[in-house]
């Protein structure tokens, strides 16, 4: 499972890495369109243009494949290779790459809204996460642990941001940074779901901006 | 599909109604645990303790069964037979049944939070809606139209509430009732997802209360 990040290797190993990556892209498309339960290895092989036995040589079970898809997404995010295509976890990686402060009052709102706008260009990926995260609540779903961890990671990242804002006197009185952090994650997931169903009607970034404007004060609250 | 609401009929028709209801309860359980795509008619028949051919006599396709499950939920809601088990659409029905005003400043927050607490007792149903609404964004899902309509209905209901609050001078300055309405739906969906994964860690009602406290003023804003 430990596929290296560098794409410019030579020889048979490089080919394996490339083939695996090609399969993961196909799997991602199939799971995004059909969900994990309904998407079959046969469909993924078809999408990748390879045989089923070739596919199961690389990923013996559908569970292996799903976990590899999710890990690949995280690696893409951590490497910040494609900032415009990142998920929310990319915020920190992008901030690091751009030399921005990783948390604090400066730029949180802007970085978040930029990410929301970037997500508009990748509805398939957003749908994948919407379906898989909801499916992961059902019995015996192999992605459950991954999503519990992912939500926990997102909540901590935003908690840091809101705590830094509070220290800067920029959190509205009475706002609990922890509740604000999990609410932001929840609002984002929920409004993306409405947007997936009616993209022309729902503006995700406008909803996030409205929430942040309720929670964050434009000027420090000097008392 | 037009099963009557009264359970106390006699004769073969009453039996059919009862049998259909029994199947719908089983289907509801299977879809909640496995999702629509993965849940099979065979599993539903097993859960209901009937043969597959008996099941398909009542519901020829899985799509028929899914739509009937969703319609049954809505009928239960509309009839407000089981207020504690209702979904969000029940808010209005419950208000009517209790002789409460259907919208306006009085009681919106309380009714909403009571509903959130009641939902804690029905994680299976909440999971069903989480999975089906996310799945409905994927290609060719028979529930798509239903969920587009359901979101639209929820947003309108909350829009009415927030507009009434604005007229009563109880909406915070700068809050757009439309954005507040879709944000409330989104926050509720998103935080319920986090709660389904970690029920002991996430308090849904506390998140809704925090949002409403940001948006609704305790006293009229006299200007």
């Amino acid at each position: 499972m430990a596929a290296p990040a560098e794409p410019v290797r030579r020889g048979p190993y490089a080919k394996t890495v490339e083939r695996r990556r090609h399969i993961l892209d196909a799997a991602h498309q199939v799971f995004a369109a059909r969900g994990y339960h309904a998407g079959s290895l046969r469909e993924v092989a078809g999408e990748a243009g390879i045989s089923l036995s070739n596919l199961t040589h690389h990923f013996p079970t559908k569970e292996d494949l799903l976990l590899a898809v999710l890990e690949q997404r995280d690696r893409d995010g951590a490497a910040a290779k494609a900032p415009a295509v990142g998920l929310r976890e990319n915020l920190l990686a992008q901030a690091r790459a751009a030399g921005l402060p990783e948390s604090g009052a400066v730029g949180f709102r802007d970085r978040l809204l930029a990410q929301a706008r970037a997500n508009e260009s990748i509805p398939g990926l957003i749908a994948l996460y919407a379906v898989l995260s909801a499916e992961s609540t059902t019995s015996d779903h192999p992605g459950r642990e991954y999503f519990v961890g992912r939500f926990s990671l997102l909540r901590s990242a935003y908690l840091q941001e809101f705590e830094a804002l509070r220290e800067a006197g920029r959190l509205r009185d009475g706002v609990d940074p922890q509740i604000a952090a999990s609410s932001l994650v929840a609002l984002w997931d929920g409004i993306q779901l409405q947007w997936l169903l009616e993209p022309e009607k729902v503006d995700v970034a406008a909803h996030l901006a409205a929430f942040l404007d309720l929670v964050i004060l434009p000027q420090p609250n000097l008392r």
Side-chain angles (χ1 to χ4, degrees), chain A residues 107-191:
Chain A
F108 175 50
R109 185 179 187 278
D110 290 347
R111 278 180 284 132
L112 203 89
L113 299 183
Q115 188 63 56
R117 300 238 177 267
N119 283 0
E120 287 174 19
S121 63
I122 45 164
L125 184 58
I126 303 306
L128 176 68
Y129 272 83
V131 174
L132 289 181
S133 61
E135 271 190 356
S136 76
T137 68
T138 60
S139 47
D140 305 326
H141 195 285
R144 186 174 185 116
E145 198 184 334
Y146 172 87
F147 279 103
V148 168
R150 182 165 183 269
F151 278 119
S152 172
L153 189 137
L154 281 170
R155 285 189 298 245
S156 318
Y158 295 158
L159 175 60
Q160 267 183 40
E161 303 276 0
F162 286 123
E163 280 179 341
L165 285 163
R166 186 171 57 177
E167 283 186 26
R170 291 197 46 210
L171 209 60
R172 185 184 293 277
D173 272 356
V175 170
D176 176 334
Q178 203 126 28
I179 295 268
S182 35
S183 293
L184 180 56
V185 176
L187 174 66
W188 202 336
D189 284 335
I191 201 65

Side-chain angles (χ1 to χ4, degrees), chain A residues 38-89:
Chain A
S40 68
L41 288 182
R42 195 171 295 281
E43 259 178 295
V44 173
E47 178 74 31
I50 62 176
S51 70
L52 182 60
S53 67
N54 195 335
L55 171 63
T56 54
H57 168 71
H58 292 281
F59 301 97
T61 68
K62 197 161 77 161
E63 178 173 342
D64 292 329
L65 188 56
L66 173 70
L67 294 177
V69 167
L70 297 175
E71 283 162 10
Q72 182 62 50
R73 291 298 325 163
D74 288 345
R75 268 197 300 275
D76 288 351
K81 275 182 192 161
V85 182
L87 280 167
R88 280 170 271 171
E89 295 92 314

Side-chain angles (χ1 to χ4, degrees), chain A residues 87-108:
Chain A
L87 280 167
R88 280 170 271 171
E89 295 92 314
N90 287 10
L91 282 173
L92 289 181
Q94 286 173 44
R96 261 179 233 125
L100 291 172
E102 290 174 18
S103 68
V106 183
F108 175 50

